[in-house]
Amino acid sequence: MTERTRDRMRGSMVRVPGGTFRMGSDNHYPEESPVHTVTIGGFSISPTTVTNQQFRAFVDATEYVTVAERPLDPADFPGAPAENLVAGSLVFTMTSGPVDLRHLSRWWTWTPGACWRHPEGPGSGIEGRADHPVVQVAFEDADAYAVWAGEELPTEAEWEYAARGGLEEMAFVWGNDAVPDGTYLANFWQGDFPWRNSAADGYPGTAPVGSFAPNGHGLFDMAGNVWEWTTDWYGDHHPPDADKPCCVPTNPRGPVIEASYDPAQPQFRVPRRVIKGGSFLCADEYCQRYRPAARRPQIAYTGMSHIGFRTIVRAPTSTS
Amino acid sequence: MGTDRPYRWHGDGESPAREVELRPYRIGRCTVSNREFAAFIDATGYATEAERYGWSFVFHLFLPDDFPDTRAVAATPWWRQVFGADWAHPDGPQSDVEDRWDHPVVHTSWDDAQAYCKWAGMRLPTEAEWECAARGGLVQKRFVWGDEFSPGGQTMCNIFEGRFPVENTAEDGYVGTAPVDAFPANGFGLRNMAGNVWEWCNDWFHPTFHRSGSRTDPEGPLTGEARVMRGGSYLCHDSYCDRYRVSARSSNAPESSSGNLGFRVAGDPSAKLHEGVGSS
């Protein structure tokens, strides 16, 4: 199958009928609770995350410059050393041995020159990865793509509803077993994080979009491969479950921006968006987040080598 | 499950109507689409049986006027043996699926369907699971939506209208396949359990085995020559084959394929259920 064919195939949207579902989980990390009922209107959603090829078409058409490609303004970072003010992004690097898993800086490295065209830094490129998810995109980059395409980014609730594929309160988008009958159904980390990656699922890094079986809505990679941006500001828990059917939220959009500031660093008012789905770096013993309820805060203007996005169209196109 | 009503096809084994108990299961909302099947092919490099044999059966109206003569099936001359027809070339080598990514994959044999299911961590439904799901909670109705073919004038499924097999007037909007989520859902939210494409089930086919077989989680005979297919297709026509009725059955050899035969996946739930719950 040619790249052109693949791209067209994967660019078209899949209809997800509206409905009511149980969002979140009470059985995993605390930020995923409480489970609560949410109603979602129907929408169409891209069956895959946006690929390098699709993002390149956007950049070629608009000459858009992503956040990671822009030099930093010294006025925004008073006192910061000049060498830290160059354009760049965060790159995952395997360590040579076991490390303290509390310190993300052991495996995430600020890398000048890292951007969507050079996901692992200046020496890397996306040749041969046209059908891999675009990474190193900040929220505003993803949003700019969506605007150009006449589409939108999903809310967290829309994303999770789509990811569950019609299954109710399952741990994973395919059921409750992480690896049913030994079959890997998503691209996540096997081995010892962050230094030994056995790649038992077939992929040490990102996989081409659609490399694993789709969920019940026909959507690919709703678990693992790359985290995906949503429009919600991050709050460290979900709202309580409605006590009456009349009070079930419809199309919720998350808390206010202030809720997303990191309480551990109150001196920095850094807005953070919700990312969903987990990535090729999710390791069971460290971060089992290749699950639909899983969620993380992500600084809105920071891309990483394991974060991408997909788009939706809310205009109803379904008869249901 | 099944029917004793007079519209049944006697040789097919639609009767007797019987009470069947099923353990909970999951079943796909839609049949597997070309997009989904393409991902499977890309990821695994699998070659379908139609690709390995080099041909499959195509309905004659989909062939160009100047298409060279081919062998046809003696009893059903509208089925033409077309070299180069496969899932990616559903109407023969001159065709593709560029505008049909959301349509059901076809030209997939039972063996191909098994391979897809294994990749997806799923399985094919048993015939009893399929029928229970298709009935959508209704009891002993003729169609998956009720007894009336076109309630309130609404088109409920994709079958053959016009004079079979020479002219399809496509009153339902489609000459061939329709997108997997076209037409109203049944009572369980499932699409196209009637018409569009026939769907493989896991069971071996037998016209009478179920008369004496188990009524609890029946899985069909232990062996046989053909596998069950259910649901009817866009070629079902009242004059010839009204097998888009919910109790209708048919069968095909596990290695054979055609342009009106696809499948949907099923699985065992590890917790709560969404679709296909209950017994029929």
Side-chain angles (χ1 to χ4, degrees), chain A residues 103-161:
Chain A
H103 300 299
L104 278 67
S105 60
R106 297 292 180 85
W107 55 89
W108 285 107
T109 309
W110 172 257
T111 307
C115 66
W116 73 274
R117 299 174 200 270
H118 307 288
E120 293 83 36
S124 68
I126 54 173
E127 290 71 39
R129 289 195 265 179
D131 59 354
H132 284 235
V134 66
V135 293
Q136 301 292 17
V137 284
F139 178 85
E140 69 175 78
D141 303 329
D143 194 48
Y145 174 95
V147 168
W148 171 76
E151 297 161 2
E152 295 180 88
L153 297 176
T155 65
E156 181 184 4
E158 287 166 336
W159 193 98
E160 183 170 329
Y161 176 70

Side-chain angles (χ1 to χ4, degrees), chain B residues 100-113:
Chain B
R100 300 186 226 179
W101 292 114
D102 293 318
H103 286 227
V105 67
V106 291
H107 297 295
T108 43
S109 69
W110 186 91
D111 300 317
D112 299 334

Side-chain angles (χ1 to χ4, degrees), chain B residues 46-108:
Chain B
Y46 181 84
T48 61
E49 292 195 282
E51 290 168 286
R52 281 179 269 154
Y53 291 133
W55 62 273
S56 186
F57 285 115
V58 175
F59 188 63
H60 71 119
L61 286 186
F62 299 141
L63 297 174
D65 291 340
D66 58 355
F67 199 82
D69 285 343
T70 58
R71 285 203 303 162
V73 182
T76 53
W78 45 86
W79 281 117
R80 304 267 292 272
Q81 178 191 27
V82 174
F83 286 88
D86 56 47
W87 75 273
H89 308 90
D91 304 332
Q94 79 289 347
S95 67
D96 58 44
V97 290
E98 288 268 327
D99 298 324
R100 300 186 226 179
W101 292 114
D102 293 318
H103 286 227
V105 67
V106 291
H107 297 295
T108 43

Side-chain angles (χ1 to χ4, degrees), chain B residues 87-173:
Chain B
W87 75 273
H89 308 90
D91 304 332
Q94 79 289 347
S95 67
D96 58 44
V97 290
E98 288 268 327
D99 298 324
R100 300 186 226 179
W101 292 114
D102 293 318
H103 286 227
V105 67
V106 291
H107 297 295
T108 43
S109 69
W110 186 91
D111 300 317
D112 299 334
Q114 287 288 339
Y116 177 93
C117 288
K118 185 172 188 318
W119 173 71
M122 305 291 280
R123 59 175 175 78
L124 286 174
T126 67
E127 183 180 11
E129 287 173 336
W130 190 96
E131 184 171 328
C132 175
R135 289 184 179 277
L138 299 178
V139 178
Q140 285 292 300
K141 297 295 185 190
R142 181 172 185 157
F143 304 110
V144 305
W145 54 82
D147 276 329
E148 197 183 337
F149 173 66
S150 184
Q154 193 175 13
T155 304
M156 301 302 286
C157 67
N158 178 20
I159 57 171
F160 196 101
E161 296 96 352
R163 287 183 304 127
F164 189 86
V166 294
E167 183 197 20
N168 188 341
T169 56
E171 284 149 37
D172 51 34

Side-chain angles (χ1 to χ4, degrees), chain A residues 5-6 8-10 12 14-15 17 47 166-170 174 176 183 185 210-214 217-218 220 320, chain B residues 26 29 34-36 38-39 42-43 87 98 101-102 116 118-121 179 181 191 269-274:
Chain A
T5 302
R6 278 190 198 200
R8 182 177 300 183
M9 169 183 95
R10 289 170 176 157
S12 60
V14 171
R15 286 184 288 269
L167 297 179
E168 290 181 3
E169 293 194 64
M170 296 280 187
W174 52 79
N176 273 338
T183 303
L185 294 174
S211 291
F212 294 85
H217 290 316
F220 298 95
S320 66
Chain B
R26 292 157 46 186
R29 186 163 61 93
N34 285 317
R35 175 190 291 117
E36 294 174 305
D42 281 356
W87 75 273
E98 288 268 327
W101 292 114
D102 293 318
Y116 177 93
K118 185 172 188 318
W119 173 71
D181 65 346
R191 303 280 176 148
S270 23
K272 290 189 181 178
L273 291 175
H274 180 59

